[in-house]
Amino acid sequence: MSIRYEDGLVRRIPFRDVRLADFAGSIPWRTFRSVHGQEHYSGSYASATTGGHVVYESRLELARLLLADFDGGVCGIFAQPCLVVARVGGRVRRHVPDFLLAQGTGTVQVVNVKPADRLEDPKIVEALAWPGELVEGHGWRYEIWSGADPVLLENVRFLAAYRRAGVVPEVEVARAWSSVCDGDSLGVAERRLAGGLPRYAARPPLMALLWSGRLATDLSRPLAGGSVLRRTA
């Protein structure tokens, strides 16, 4: 495995010896340029988890990145984290995973993102299989991700607008937290918090609490006034 660092150094580590700590101070193995007519939509995402920008190569990768950023158990996100080289079936194979996710529990997950229709190609399936065997043999988790429930993704995209500290003043978030009761519907919580003002005036701090995970609701349904809120902290 080869890892690239901010100072330009490339470190080569046998896969059996690699540890999560080896990714500290690393940068993506490759970067992307926007070119007119390109098939994929690439860019960088301002992550609340990392406090910096994380690159992505497609809208599908951005969707997986949003879910990782929303996941309170994820404490580190590395895009294009390394180059893996291995001899497979008598051939030297090379692979750059899409993401490496570090969990607060110490679990490490390597994620490759591919559209579902691409997984019908045996060559793609084989190209993704051998890295998975290496990763799982090392005691890490491996995921091939092709999408999630569209309603969940739309809800998380909406909540992501409130992911940055300071977008909603902390005093307003604290007041919302002290006001909301376990089992409130979103509409009831908004009316109570807004007082005589329109409901929408109280929405931002409640959305910030949902993004942070201090409040939870069923995001498999469209977020609406009837969404039931649960206090988790």
Side-chain angles (χ1 to χ4, degrees):
M1 174 183 291
S2 297
I3 304 173
R4 196 186 308 278
Y5 294 93
E6 294 170 346
D7 60 4
L9 175 70
V10 173
R11 184 181 174 196
R12 293 175 174 82
I13 311 168
F15 205 109
R16 64 180 179 275
D17 296 331
V18 73
R19 298 293 181 267
L20 177 59
D22 294 316
F23 293 90
S26 67
I27 61 174
W29 181 258
R30 62 190 182 199
T31 54
F32 315 114
R33 294 185 303 126
S34 295
V35 180
H36 179 70
Q38 69 182 25
E39 293 184 7
H40 298 294
Y41 178 87
S42 60
S44 63
Y45 167 79
S47 167
T49 301
T50 68
H53 286 81
V54 181
V55 298
Y56 58 89
E57 196 172 10
S58 67
R59 285 185 173 89
L60 192 61
E61 284 191 15
L62 176 57
R64 184 63 185 90
L65 185 51
L66 277 166
L67 292 179
D69 205 31
F70 181 62
D71 185 345
V74 173
C75 62
I77 304 173
F78 302 88
Q80 308 288 320
C82 57
L83 170 67
V84 180
V85 180
R87 184 171 290 277
V88 181
R91 296 170 53 199
V92 175
R93 307 294 298 271
R94 292 173 171 80
H95 178 72
V96 179
D98 293 320
F99 298 110
L100 183 145
L101 308 179
Q103 303 277 344
T105 59
T107 301
V108 178
Q109 181 173 3
V110 174
V111 180
N112 276 315
V113 177
K114 276 288 180 290
D117 60 354
R118 297 287 303 280
L119 297 178
E120 297 175 2
D121 184 340
K123 291 182 179 179
I124 298 294
V125 172
E126 190 273 336
L128 295 175
W130 69 263
E133 292 175 4
L134 280 177
V135 168
E136 292 177 344
H138 190 56
W140 290 354
R141 294 170 56 192
Y142 183 65
E143 177 186 56
I144 300 174
W145 193 84
S146 298
D149 173 53
V151 175
L152 170 65
L153 284 173
E154 283 306 308
N155 283 332
V156 173
R157 285 190 185 100
F158 176 74
L159 292 176
Y162 302 91
R163 68 188 183 276
R164 294 186 183 181
V167 167
V168 182
E170 187 56 40
V171 63
E172 293 184 19
V173 175
R175 188 164 70 89
W177 177 248
S178 64
S179 168
V180 69
C181 297
D182 192 63
D184 275 349
S185 69
L186 178 58
V188 166
E190 287 177 341
R191 283 191 293 271
R192 182 188 303 120
L193 186 59
L197 297 175
R199 273 176 46 188
Y200 64 77
R203 192 162 300 157
L206 293 170
M207 298 301 100
L209 287 168
L210 283 168
W211 171 267
S212 71
R214 295 172 69 188
L215 289 179
T217 192
D218 181 4
L219 294 179
S220 68
R221 297 174 177 271
L223 201 56
S227 298
V228 177
L229 304 177
R230 299 293 182 192
R231 295 170 67 96
T232 63

